[in-house]
Amino acid sequence: MDNAAQQLIEQARQVREFLEREGCLMTDLLGDFPRGGCGNGSDLLGQWLAKHGVAPIAYVWGSRGGKTHGWLEHGGLVIDITSDQFADGVGAVYVGAPTSFHASFADQRRSTPEVSPLLFDVYRRMSERLAASQLRVAHRTAASRNKG
């Protein structure tokens, strides 16, 4: 997997971890995350990625058996941080080629990820946490280069 895909995986993992630890405590909209959180979780991740140069990015959702599911797509990759709410899902964080799991959702629609105003505080705190994490990594990287 190339560096860009690795960065997507890392950012998706960080967003998922934030939503599990803090986001679910900040609003009932994410209270049972990941169950029922695919739309809001994908929109939060999609907005973060779009603001950091990942474009174009689409929110995709469909239905099967009376249930819906949503995920992101970018450059031929599926980015899904909530498929583990389904028994046949592809894991807590999936970044890769489209799967039969995703294809099993019918009547798929696409839109631009957009954070609900009800989640602005969650997005703000998530952005602060992710930016701080990236800064720590950059400092460690610079420090290790200076030692060498």
Side-chain angles (χ1 to χ4, degrees):
M1 197 167 281
D2 67 16
N3 191 41
Q6 289 293 348
Q7 288 179 352
L8 283 175
I9 292 168
E10 181 58 23
Q11 291 185 31
R13 185 191 60 74
Q14 288 179 351
V15 169
R16 166 73 187 228
E17 288 175 0
F18 170 81
L19 294 175
E20 288 177 323
R21 278 188 256 174
E22 292 184 55
C24 65
L25 302 175
M26 294 179 70
T27 175
D28 289 343
L29 294 173
L30 298 167
D32 200 19
F33 189 84
R35 190 177 11 215
C38 54
N40 289 323
S42 293
D43 280 339
L44 288 161
L45 173 58
Q47 188 73 27
W48 169 262
L49 293 173
K51 286 195 183 269
H52 292 86
V54 177
I57 192 157
Y59 172 65
V60 181
W61 74 99
S63 62
R64 71 171 189 191
K67 295 184 179 183
T68 61
H69 183 53
W71 59 90
L72 300 170
E73 291 185 1
H74 167 70
L77 297 174
V78 167
I79 307 164
D80 192 339
I81 60 170
T82 60
S83 78
D84 60 327
Q85 67 184 303
F86 295 91
D88 62 335
V90 291
V93 174
Y94 176 80
V95 176
T99 67
S100 58
F101 168 74
H102 295 95
S104 72
F105 289 87
D107 301 320
Q108 292 185 9
R109 295 181 178 95
R110 302 172 75 77
S111 67
T112 301
E114 187 173 319
V115 176
S116 162
L118 298 172
L119 294 172
F120 283 171
D121 286 341
V122 174
Y123 181 77
R124 180 188 50 74
R125 183 169 306 161
M126 182 189 86
S127 296
E128 290 168 357
R129 296 288 191 264
L130 268 63
S133 175
Q134 289 178 347
L135 188 58
R136 282 191 300 276
V137 169
H139 282 278
R140 280 195 301 266
T141 301
S144 69
R145 285 185 186 152
N146 289 338
K147 288 181 182 178

